[in-house]
């Protein structure tokens, strides 16, 4: 198994590191860049503090990002193998992508389960990580909530672990929601019409029947059998069991974004993980363009979204409609830029990537964010008081869209599968000219800053590390 170290470990890393204990902290997450972002931010925070013996185990695609976060201490990267193209939404063929992104949320979830439930991959990652743990012998594991293989290793080896959750509180505690609460990924509001209540019932039936799908059921039976052969308890696959075994759960949201819910004792809501430095010199041209445009709509639909030719043309027309009063900064993947027309409006800037979305959202000229509604994007936008227009296409993005409307921090488009220029233009003008949206976004941003974000999350991990490193008295 290939291993590399970004830099030599720092000598004399400081008081915080000395108090933390000598045994390693092992970070684990999936290949997804969105899910990995918070794990990288948290590992980077400990590296800035000089905490020694930081190890990050993940798919090969995260090697570069992990090596970039080395600071006062290094972060050792351990590859668990290449990304499985069948499990990466960015690498799937168009037919599979279309099935997962179809309009029916129940059928989309069923297609997602069929595609992403891979027994061999899960157990390969489990065994690869188990070898890493045997060598590293961590005092504490910090595990993204979707890294099931890592939780299985922690439970099997009785290693203390913290779960990190970049999501709404309701998504984290979906197994224990109050009666009548909208099911996660349904995109339904708390107060519902009769039609929406029928939709809620149908959605719950559809989700509950996922494991009745023959393909999914066969894999579930096979997984239980294989786990038994490895001496693993199949019950540890259940989210309540995994959360019960965690020392704490760090949830990167704050009250006011989701509908009101009781917060379990072990859950710490800390808000978006925003580092002290938000600017990347590689974005200098973007910053210069933002400086020159007093009012900007920022458009980014995440690393997974595939735009059609009609959608690209509609967004270009949207920029024309905004005219000289508002610039539009659009992150469009390089391979999709071939769909752009030869002539673009003067107020439109198209880039394939921004290295720091936080630096863009923090810019005082950015006044609205047209987004797919991923959890990181929503919470980062709110941190800087920028209202959102949400175009949801998958799972929890629908929930963020309806929460944006109900909490007053944004709006959502009528038809996510297409971009209606008239509708989208009208909604953006409301965000740009009605002060209530920005006022409410700034209010939640203040709540996020008060929650502590990255600083408090780092403190929580170090506290768990100290407790985990204290020797247990012999009987």
């Amino acid at each position: 198994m290939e291993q590399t170290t970004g830099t030599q470990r720092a000598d004399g890393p400081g008081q915080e590191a000395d108090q933390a204990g000598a045994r390693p902290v092992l970070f684990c997450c999936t290949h997804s860049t969105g899910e990995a972002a918070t794990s990288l931010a948290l590992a980077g925070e400990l590296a800035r503090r000089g905490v020694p013996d930081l190890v990050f185990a993940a798919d090969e695609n995260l090697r570069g990002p992990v090596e970039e976060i080395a600071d006062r201490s290094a972060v050792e990267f351990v590859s668990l193998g290449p990304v499985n193209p069948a499990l990466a939404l960015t690498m799937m063929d168009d037919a599979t992508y279309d099935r997962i992104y179809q309009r029916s949320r129940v059928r989309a979830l069923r297609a997602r389960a069929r595609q992403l439930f891979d027994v061999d991959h899960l157990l390969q990652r489990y065994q690869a990580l188990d070898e890493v743990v045997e060598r590293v012998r961590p005092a504490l594991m910090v595990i993204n909530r979707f890294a099931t293989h890592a939780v299985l290793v922690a439970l099997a080896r009785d290693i203390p672990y913290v779960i990190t959750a970049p999501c709404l509180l309701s998504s984290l505690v979906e197994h224990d929601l109050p009666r009548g609460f909208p099911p996660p990924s349904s995109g339904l509001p708390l107060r519902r019409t009769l039609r929406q209540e029928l939709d809620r019932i149908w959605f719950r039936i559809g989700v509950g029947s996922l494991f009745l799908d023959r393909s999914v059921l066969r894999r579930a039976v096979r997984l239980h059998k294989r786990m038994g052969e490895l001496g693993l308890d199949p019950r540890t696959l259940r989210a309540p069991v995994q959360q019960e075994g965690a020392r704490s759960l760090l949830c990167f949201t704050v009250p006011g974004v989701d509908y009101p819910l009781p917060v379990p004792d072990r859950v710490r809501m800390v808000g978006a993980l925003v580092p002290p430095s938000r600017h990347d010199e590689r974005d200098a041209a973007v910053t210069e363009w933002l400086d020159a445009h007093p009012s900007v709509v920022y458009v980014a639909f995440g690393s997974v979204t595939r735009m059609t030719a009609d959608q690209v043309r509609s967004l270009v027309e949207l920029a024309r409609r905004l005219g000289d009063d508002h610039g539009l900064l659009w992150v469009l993947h390089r391979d999709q830029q071939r769909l752009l027309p030869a002539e673009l409006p003067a107020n439109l800037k198209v880039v394939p990537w921004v290295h720091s979305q936080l630096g863009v959202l923090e810019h005082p000229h950015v006044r609205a964010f047209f987004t797919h509604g991923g959890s990181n994007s929503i919470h980062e936008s709110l941190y800087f008081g920028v209202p959102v227009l949400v175009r949801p296409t998958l799972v929890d993005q629908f929930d963020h869209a309806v929460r944006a409307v109900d909490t007053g921090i944004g709006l959502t488009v009528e038809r996510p599968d297409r971009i209606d220029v008239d509708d989208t233009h009208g909604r953006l003008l409301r965000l740009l000219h009605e002060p209530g949206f920005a006022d409410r976004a700034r209010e939640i941003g203040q709540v996020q800053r008060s929650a502590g974000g990255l600083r408090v999350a780092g403190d929580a991990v170090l506290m768990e590390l100290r407790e985990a490193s204290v020797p247990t008295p012999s009987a």
Side-chain angles (χ1 to χ4, degrees), residues 44 114 202:
R114 288 173 179 166
W202 168 243

Side-chain angles (χ1 to χ4, degrees), residues 40-57:
L40 289 165
L42 191 48
E45 171 69 8
L46 298 193
R48 277 191 296 274
R49 298 188 188 193
V51 177
D53 299 311
L54 302 175
V55 183
F56 202 112

Side-chain angles (χ1 to χ4, degrees), residues 140-141 143 151 154-155 159-163 241-242 245-248:
L140 181 72
M141 295 175 67
I143 304 172
V151 180
L155 288 170
I159 298 171
Y161 64 96
V162 172
I163 289 178
V241 174
Q242 296 180 4
R247 296 182 69 98
S248 61

Side-chain angles (χ1 to χ4, degrees), residues 290-302:
L290 290 172
D291 290 341
H293 292 77
S295 176
V296 173
V297 174
Y298 173 48
V299 181
F301 297 135

Side-chain angles (χ1 to χ4, degrees), residues 379-428:
H379 288 90
E380 289 168 3
S381 191
L382 292 177
Y383 186 94
F384 295 110
V386 178
V388 293
L389 176 62
V390 186
R391 176 180 173 261
T393 54
L394 193 67
V395 289
D396 60 349
Q397 297 166 15
F398 296 105
D399 297 336
H400 294 136
V402 73
R403 266 64 161 188
V405 174
D406 285 355
T407 57
I409 53 91
L411 297 169
T412 183
V413 298
E414 195 69 30
R415 284 281 302 274
D417 57 324
R418 60 188 178 90
I419 296 176
D420 184 308
V421 178
D422 291 335
D423 177 73
T424 305
H425 181 246
R427 291 170 194 262
L428 279 177

Side-chain angles (χ1 to χ4, degrees), residues 51 200 221 457:
V51 177
R200 182 187 73 85
V221 171

